[in-house]
Amino acid sequence: MPKVLEFTRTKFFYGRVAVDLGPQFKPLEQTLEPSFTDDNSALATVQIPLPMGMVIEESETLEGRVEVVEVGEGSNAEKAGVKVGDVLRGCTAMAVNLLKAAEEDAAFNALAGATKPGFQRAFYIADEMPFDQTMNALVSNAEDQGGPGFSNLVFERHFS
């Protein structure tokens, strides 16, 4: 998983990205529609350790999207190349695996990359989702929440 965002500018929007869920999984191929209508944007993935050091809000100009409004100087987000205006399209998160939670199979969860019984790594698509739910998905990556201490994120950047 890249540690720094690299957006490839193409003639048309290419909405397919590969998201790493962990060493025991194949990369998840995800296809997303563009947030902008002018084919002048691109997607990129990046792994950012927590705390990320960025502020996100519901976008004022892109309905149903979450946008970066501030990046802290020297923060993990800045080191990863995140910029104000980038659109968060998705992130890895810790999700409850109901079957395994019922079985309380800690060995399975350790293999799945989770430290809390009943949790496993998943990809969360932020588009059209409630903002609080997106924040919860990001926070679930914290070590004290059973996560790995980082999140793999998908951003879209518009080229002016």
Side-chain angles (χ1 to χ4, degrees):
M1 192 72 180
K3 305 288 187 206
V4 177
L5 282 168
E6 295 180 26
F7 293 93
T8 303
R9 198 170 187 166
T10 58
K11 186 174 181 179
F12 298 102
F13 179 82
Y14 182 72
R16 181 168 287 208
V17 292
V19 180
D20 184 13
L21 294 177
Q24 66 281 10
F25 299 105
K26 293 187 330 187
L28 173 71
E29 293 287 328
Q30 187 67 49
T31 303
L32 300 168
E33 295 295 319
S35 298
F36 304 90
T37 58
D38 62 1
D39 270 338
N40 204 18
S41 65
L43 296 174
T45 59
V46 67
Q47 184 177 94
I48 304 178
L50 295 144
M52 292 182 197
M54 65 180 182
V55 177
I56 57 173
E57 292 180 355
E58 293 178 54
S59 177
E60 292 182 10
T61 56
L62 300 169
E63 188 176 337
R65 299 291 193 259
V66 173
E67 196 169 340
V68 176
V69 295
E70 185 179 325
V71 177
E73 188 176 330
S75 68
N76 290 327
E78 182 184 58
K79 293 172 190 169
V82 177
K83 300 201 180 301
V84 170
D86 286 348
V87 179
L88 176 64
R89 302 297 304 275
C91 66
T92 52
M94 300 306 294
V96 175
N97 179 327
L98 295 175
L99 177 60
K100 293 299 174 187
E103 295 172 358
E104 296 184 356
D105 185 347
F108 172 83
N109 285 296
L111 290 173
T115 57
K116 277 176 116 173
F119 282 77
Q120 67 182 14
R121 204 93 162 120
F123 183 65
Y124 171 83
I125 298 175
D127 298 353
E128 306 293 330
M129 299 305 288
F131 183 76
D132 289 348
Q133 194 171 327
T134 300
M135 288 299 297
N136 289 340
L138 288 166
V139 169
S140 76
N141 291 288
E143 289 177 350
D144 64 353
Q145 299 295 313
F150 63 86
S151 183
N152 298 330
L153 300 104
V154 176
F155 286 101
E156 182 177 4
R157 182 171 291 166
H158 189 252
F159 304 110
S160 302

